[in-house]
Each structure stands twice: as structure tokens, then as C-alpha cells.
Amino acid sequence: MSRPAPATLSVLAVAVALALTPFVLSCDDAPRTEIVVVVDSDLSAPGEIDRIEIDVVGPDEQTLSTGGDLADEPLPRSVGVVHEAGDLQPVEVRARGLLGGRLVVERVVRTGFVKDETVVLLVALLRSCAGVTCGGAQSCGEDGCASPDVAGVTLPSWTGTEPRIGDPPPPPRMDGGPRDAGPPPPPADSGPRDAGPGDASVPDAGPGLDACMPTTEACNMRDDDCDGMVDEDFDLTSADHCGACNAACRGMGRVCCPDGVCRRGGC
């Protein structure tokens, strides 16, 4: 199914540029840095909520907003947030469910983009959170009042299907953390040598053709120094690599990254 690319409703162009667009399918194969925000609720529509409003705050603290009546189109509602320039995080998504113009339930999630990937963020407006006001910087969700921070690198990849409340969890995507403790695959050359003549090249000194060739470890989600770990020399809670390699917190004044999400001020 092919549709034209959506028209941009608004663009922020200071320290970061975002485009907030109605999400549609496209045949463009070029990589996009995008978050597909999907808002769903276990409240009935339009009986218990009749309108959804969504605000997206970029790293430069400018806001893009959209919304729609649920009498015109049922849940879930989706919007694509496209990163065009600047820092990748933090991105704050605030979703509200209203009835007759009155706020019924609200949810806040802070996350970030993943460079050259389209990921999906499900924002669930839950019946159990209706009328709940959380203290401090918390927001009401599946576990009640809790931190709204969700590291962008933990968001699942967009598959083309909107996730819904109650769906089974999506498969994990590769992150920048250390490799798990699973056994490595056997060497490709563990079998007996075949009867064919050898080529003229000089064999390496490793145990097989697939022996790791160690180099200096770089922050690139690879085991460069062949020690069974990935990017272990880099702190992914630093302002230079916040949650992922080279996801720097820039242009934000004093920042820290305690849990893979850029935060302003002290932590």
C-alpha cells in the first residue's frame, strides 16, 4: 500500500528541528529518524473519553501539538514525530483524554530518537489513572505513579502495525549494552578439511576462518577488541553517550544521564 508522504504541520528549527505529521505508510526507502507515537486507552470512546490531545516537546523545549475527536475516528490514534536536525533527546510526549472538554486522564513519557530508525512508543491512557495526580516528576501508567523516562534505545522498531493495550510484548531490539552470556557459535572451520586444493593465500593464526581480529574498542555496538563484550569501555550514562553510542546531550546547559535519558539540571 502506498500513499504520498504526509504534509508537515509544524517544524521547530532552533537547536533541534522536529516535524509532527499524521502517520501514513510510504514507499520511501531512505532511513528516517522517527518516533511513531500511538495513543490507546481502555476507557470507552466516545462514552468515557471523546477527544485525544498530544503535545510533543523537543530538546529545545519548543512544543508541537495535535489532537482529534474520537467520534470521527476510533482509537488508537497515531502521529509520526520526525527528527530533522539537532539533538536526539530528550523528547517529552504528553497525551490527554478528555470528555466534553474536561480532562479525564493524562500520561507523560520522556524518551529520545534513535538515529536512522523508526521506533514506536505506545502511550496507554488507563482507566486506573483517571483522576490520578502524581507528585513530583512522576506520571501514572501501568505501575501507577512512576518515572516517565523510557530510553529511546529500548523502544521497539515500527512494524507497520499499531500496537494496542493488551498486545503481547514486542521482540527486543538490539541495544548498545554488553553482549549476553550465551555461548558463542562454533568456529566455521571445525569440520574436517575437504579434498579440494588449497588457495594461494597465507592462513591466519586464529583457530578458524572466522577468528576475531582484535582492534581498539570503539563505541559502535561491536566487539572490536574480541573480549566478548560490546562498547564496554564507554559509559552509556554519560552526557556524550546517553543511552546509546554518540547520543550526546548538547545545547541543554547542565545535563546528566542517570538512566539513558538526558536530564536538565542536577540528578
Side-chain angles (χ1 to χ4, degrees):
M1 180 177 181
S2 175
R3 301 182 187 176
T8 298
L9 300 181
S10 181
V11 176
L12 302 183
V14 186
V16 66
L18 299 177
L20 185 64
T21 68
F23 188 78
V24 299
L25 298 177
S26 172
C27 287
D28 184 3
D29 292 331
R32 298 178 67 172
T33 302
E34 181 174 15
I35 300 173
V36 180
V37 178
V38 179
V39 179
D40 196 12
S41 180
D42 57 1
L43 293 162
S44 65
E48 293 178 296
I49 53 174
D50 59 11
R51 181 174 176 81
I52 293 292
E53 294 181 348
I54 305 171
D55 296 332
V56 180
V57 184
D60 60 355
E61 299 187 357
Q62 294 197 38
T63 303
L64 299 173
S65 300
T66 187
D69 293 332
L70 299 180
D72 300 332
E73 183 180 346
L75 290 168
R77 287 297 184 88
S78 301
V79 63
V81 186
V82 181
H83 177 272
E84 295 186 338
D87 294 331
L88 296 175
Q89 56 181 323
V91 176
E92 182 175 286
V93 178
R94 186 180 298 270
R96 297 179 296 277
L98 299 93
L99 179 64
R102 178 181 61 86
L103 179 65
V104 175
V105 63
E106 183 176 39
R107 180 79 178 270
V108 177
V109 179
R110 278 197 304 266
T111 187
F113 292 101
V114 181
K115 184 174 176 57
D116 293 334
E117 293 192 35
T118 296
V119 296
V120 60
L121 171 66
L122 174 62
V123 182
L125 300 177
L126 301 175
R127 183 185 305 276
S128 59
C129 293
V132 174
T133 300
C134 296
Q138 296 185 326
S139 183
C140 186
E142 291 80 2
D143 298 321
C145 289
S147 169
D149 293 329
V150 177
V153 294
T154 66
L155 296 178
S157 298
W158 170 250
T159 65
T161 301
E162 295 169 318
R164 300 296 306 270
I165 294 174
D167 284 352
R173 57 185 297 278
M174 184 176 180
D175 59 21
R179 180 181 298 175
D180 63 27
D189 301 325
S190 58
R193 182 173 180 175
D194 61 33
D199 59 28
S201 64
V202 178
D204 62 32
L209 294 180
D210 297 327
C212 183
M213 301 295 291
T215 61
T216 302
E217 188 73 10
C219 199
N220 57 8
M221 299 175 67
R222 298 178 181 176
D223 182 14
D224 301 291
D225 56 5
C226 305
D227 62 354
M229 294 184 290
V230 175
D231 301 338
E232 72 278 4
D233 296 336
F234 298 86
D235 181 6
L236 299 186
T237 62
S238 70
D240 292 327
H241 306 285
C242 187
C245 290
N246 304 312
C249 307
R250 297 187 299 273
M252 300 170 54
R254 185 185 177 198
V255 297
C256 59
C257 176
D259 46 12
V261 176
C262 294
R263 294 189 180 185
R264 301 178 182 87
C267 295

